[in-house]
Amino acid sequence: MALYEHVFLARQDLAQAQVDALAEMATKIVEENQGRIVKTETWGLRSLAYKIAKNRKAHYVMLEIEAPAGVVAELERQIRINEDIIRYLTIRVDAHENGPSAMMRKGDRDGRRREREGGDRPRRERDGFDGE
């Protein structure tokens, strides 16, 4: 079976429960067609680089799929019909990543950076200027 990564963007006005239901719908489609979902990651509500269908933000969800090619065609067909999904992308990969994806690791990296910098840095005073 082939390995795929499928990412979709859901409308910003959906509740998290509705986004989870969309991920469950995609899982159901894959499993009904002899495929399986290896991992599901919800990246949360994130800003878009530009407006898409009047949305400035979107809920991002990634699915790692192990399935035959026909499953991807059916999944994309169902997603095209759904009005709550504004964009999607499916790519074939050689192997799935172990552990969290790069998007999930980004938050960990930012936290480590803050610890290394010593938290909030005090404001620097300008030389020879006392503000009066």
Side-chain angles (χ1 to χ4, degrees):
M1 285 202 216
L3 303 175
Y4 299 94
E5 287 184 2
H6 176 78
V7 178
F8 67 85
L9 282 62
R11 288 191 348 239
Q12 65 186 0
D13 58 343
L14 297 178
Q16 187 60 43
Q18 292 171 306
V19 175
D20 294 340
L22 289 171
E24 189 62 36
M25 177 213 52
T27 301
K28 184 179 169 193
I29 292 168
V30 170
E31 289 175 351
E32 285 176 350
N33 293 294
Q34 288 73 43
R36 74 180 186 99
I37 300 292
V38 177
K39 180 171 59 171
T40 302
E41 286 185 356
T42 302
W43 295 343
L45 185 65
R46 303 178 57 84
S47 296
L48 299 171
Y50 54 89
K51 278 182 164 181
I52 301 174
K54 299 182 182 178
N55 291 286
R56 292 185 184 275
K57 294 184 176 192
H59 294 274
Y60 285 65
V61 178
M62 183 191 72
L63 306 170
E64 289 185 354
I65 302 170
E66 184 177 326
V71 174
V72 173
E74 176 62 17
L75 177 62
E76 289 182 349
R77 185 185 75 79
Q78 292 287 332
I79 283 181
R80 254 183 260 124
I81 294 170
N82 196 324
E83 295 176 355
D84 292 333
I85 298 176
I86 55 177
R87 285 282 193 277
Y88 66 90
L89 177 68
T90 307
I91 59 169
R92 185 172 179 175
V93 294
D94 295 329
H96 291 302
E97 282 188 44
N98 293 329
S101 66
M103 291 296 287
M104 297 301 282
R105 288 191 309 259
K106 184 179 182 232
D108 296 339
R109 184 182 69 222
D110 292 343
R112 285 194 304 268
R113 182 178 299 142
R114 276 189 221 102
E115 291 171 6
R116 190 172 58 239
E117 291 174 352
D120 294 331
R121 293 185 293 187
R123 289 185 67 190
R124 249 184 352 167
E125 304 245 349
R126 288 183 171 169
D127 294 330
F129 181 72
D130 60 1
E132 295 181 13

